[in-house]
Amino acid sequence: MPIYKSILFPLMVFGFLFPLGLGAQKILPKEEALVLLMENNFQVLIANNSIEISENLARKENTGFYPTLTGSLGPNLDYSFANVKSFTGEEFSVPGALSARLNASLAVNYNLYQGNGRKLNLEKLQESVSITELQARQTIESALLDLFDIYYQIAQLEEEESIRKESLELSRKRLKRASYRFEYGQANGLDVLNAEVDINRDSINYLSNRQQLSAAKRNLNALLAMEANRDFKVDTNLLFNVIENANALKEEALENNVNLQLLQASLLQNKYDIKIAESTKKPRIDASGSYGYNWQFNGNSQVSLFESLSNHGPSAGVSLTWNI
């Protein structure tokens, strides 16, 4: 089963419980964002298609395990004039005549021996499937990292927005109080100017935060292949896992790290390449068989002994090739 299916299957239940349309929702849960990523992200879809392509290539019919069957059909028409001179010195011209030829054949070719190269090629292609699955997993993991990086960035900006909005409201109240105090002679103009500076600073911070939040949401929409201006909120609740054993975490990372697994798979591929190259030093034995049919019609009997001629029959052979 491809990697993406094992990741997507447990999330589909959640996808049915929470409709994928975000227009009527205010909150985009993390689980739903994950379902959208697996279903819509173009890089993930390309990685999944690559797995299917590699599985189709890793078949026996692509590595010469089965004989090849080829057929050919070649009709040909000629219309020509001829000048004929006999051994007796007689010369005459032949008017234009139509002649026809037909060649048809059916051939079977099969490799009997190639130094175990077919088996090695098949094993290499099968190993390529594993590499493609690891590459797809690497793409999915990278997309997941991007997803949660942007998701929690939005959560942080939403929290900061509420804080900056509250700070802006406090600055407005402070300016209002300073203005009243200045009007009744209980404060000087400097207090009012300081309050105005504070409210300007808080306004800039609030607007900057909203701009960053809007940009982060557009980035998340692009990652999920959704409309760029689609608005939503994210879940700001966090649950932290406690790591009790650092050594166990290290061993698990070394065992499951996709980059290390890709390196190991690449080393195995290189070993197959070496074995395949060595197999080419051995002799190659091929067998072939065919059945052919040939027919010829001569339009003018003056230049041919026969008006028509045909032959058909089977043929077979074995060839040995050895690059010494």
Side-chain angles (χ1 to χ4, degrees):
M1 177 182 293
I3 298 173
Y4 77 99
K5 293 183 179 179
S6 63
I7 297 176
L8 182 60
F9 179 75
L11 299 174
M12 291 303 296
V13 177
F14 191 91
F16 287 117
L17 296 177
F18 294 89
L20 298 184
L22 302 180
Q25 289 187 352
K26 295 182 179 180
I27 301 295
L28 174 63
K30 294 181 287 290
E31 296 84 355
E32 185 178 345
L34 187 55
V35 172
L36 288 171
L37 177 75
M38 300 303 296
E39 291 185 346
N40 298 335
N41 184 268
F42 295 112
Q43 296 298 326
V44 173
L45 295 177
I46 291 174
N48 295 335
N49 289 336
S50 299
I51 295 177
E52 296 182 6
I53 293 173
S54 63
E55 288 176 347
N56 291 331
L57 292 176
R59 295 180 177 179
K60 286 187 175 182
E61 55 264 30
N62 295 326
T63 53
F65 271 87
Y66 301 117
T68 60
L69 179 64
T70 58
S72 64
L73 179 64
N76 189 26
L77 296 176
D78 292 328
Y79 188 81
S80 60
F81 298 86
N83 293 321
V84 181
K85 182 177 181 180
S86 66
F87 289 104
T88 60
E90 182 182 1
E91 296 183 8
F92 60 93
S93 297
V94 180
L98 180 67
S99 61
R101 293 189 302 273
L102 177 64
N103 300 310
S105 65
L106 193 64
V108 178
N109 296 280
Y110 183 65
N111 174 249
L112 298 175
Y113 178 75
Q114 195 183 3
N116 210 26
R118 286 180 303 189
K119 181 181 177 181
L120 292 173
N121 279 320
L122 179 61
E123 292 177 354
K124 179 183 176 181
L125 288 175
Q126 292 173 344
E127 182 63 25
S128 297
V129 176
S130 301
I131 293 178
T132 306
E133 290 178 349
L134 289 173
Q135 291 172 342
R137 175 183 159 191
Q138 186 181 46
T139 300
I140 293 173
E141 289 180 356
S142 177
L144 289 175
L145 290 175
D146 293 338
L147 169 66
F148 289 113
D149 179 60
I150 300 175
Y151 189 92
Y152 288 119
Q153 181 185 0
I154 294 175
Q156 179 183 358
L157 290 172
E158 285 183 349
E159 290 293 324
E160 291 180 357
E161 181 183 14
S162 61
I163 295 173
R164 295 186 187 280
K165 184 176 181 180
E166 182 180 357
S167 177
L168 180 59
E169 291 297 327
L170 292 175
S171 296
R172 288 174 179 171
K173 293 179 180 179
R174 189 181 307 114
L175 176 60
K176 189 174 182 180
R177 289 196 303 268
S179 299
Y180 283 152
R181 293 180 62 190
F182 176 75
E183 183 178 353
Y184 290 103
Q186 296 181 357
N188 54 34
L190 182 61
D191 294 334
V192 177
L193 292 176
N194 288 335
E196 290 178 349
V197 170
D198 292 339
I199 195 173
N200 288 335
R201 182 188 64 247
D202 292 338
S203 297
I204 293 173
N205 291 336
Y206 178 70
L207 293 176
S208 177
N209 182 268
R210 286 184 61 86
Q211 185 179 11
Q212 295 177 21
L213 179 60
S214 178
K217 288 184 177 180
R218 286 196 300 271
N219 292 335
L220 185 58
N221 284 330
L223 187 65
L224 301 179
M226 306 297 289
E227 296 180 4
N229 296 326
R230 201 177 188 91
D231 196 15
F232 55 87
K233 290 184 177 296
V234 298
D235 184 7
T236 57
N237 296 322
L238 298 176
L239 295 177
F240 295 95
N241 294 328
V242 178
I243 300 175
E244 297 180 353
N245 191 337
N247 291 328
L249 179 63
K250 179 180 178 181
E251 293 178 0
E252 185 177 357
L254 292 175
E255 181 179 356
N256 298 324
N257 185 274
V258 65
N259 294 322
L260 293 178
Q261 293 179 357
L262 278 173
L263 289 175
Q264 294 173 356
S266 297
L267 290 176
L268 184 57
Q269 283 284 78
N270 292 335
K271 292 180 180 180
Y272 277 119
D273 290 335
I274 294 174
K275 292 180 179 179
I276 292 173
E278 291 177 350
S279 68
T280 59
K281 300 178 181 178
K282 299 179 180 180
R284 175 188 176 101
I285 303 176
D286 294 299
S288 62
S290 65
Y291 190 92
Y293 175 79
N294 299 292
W295 174 81
Q296 182 176 349
F297 170 76
N298 300 310
N300 198 314
S301 60
Q302 294 179 347
V303 293
S304 176
L305 297 177
F306 305 98
E307 179 182 3
S308 64
L309 178 66
S310 65
N311 60 79
H312 60 88
S315 63
V318 178
S319 63
L320 172 64
T321 304
W322 195 354
N323 187 3
I324 57 176

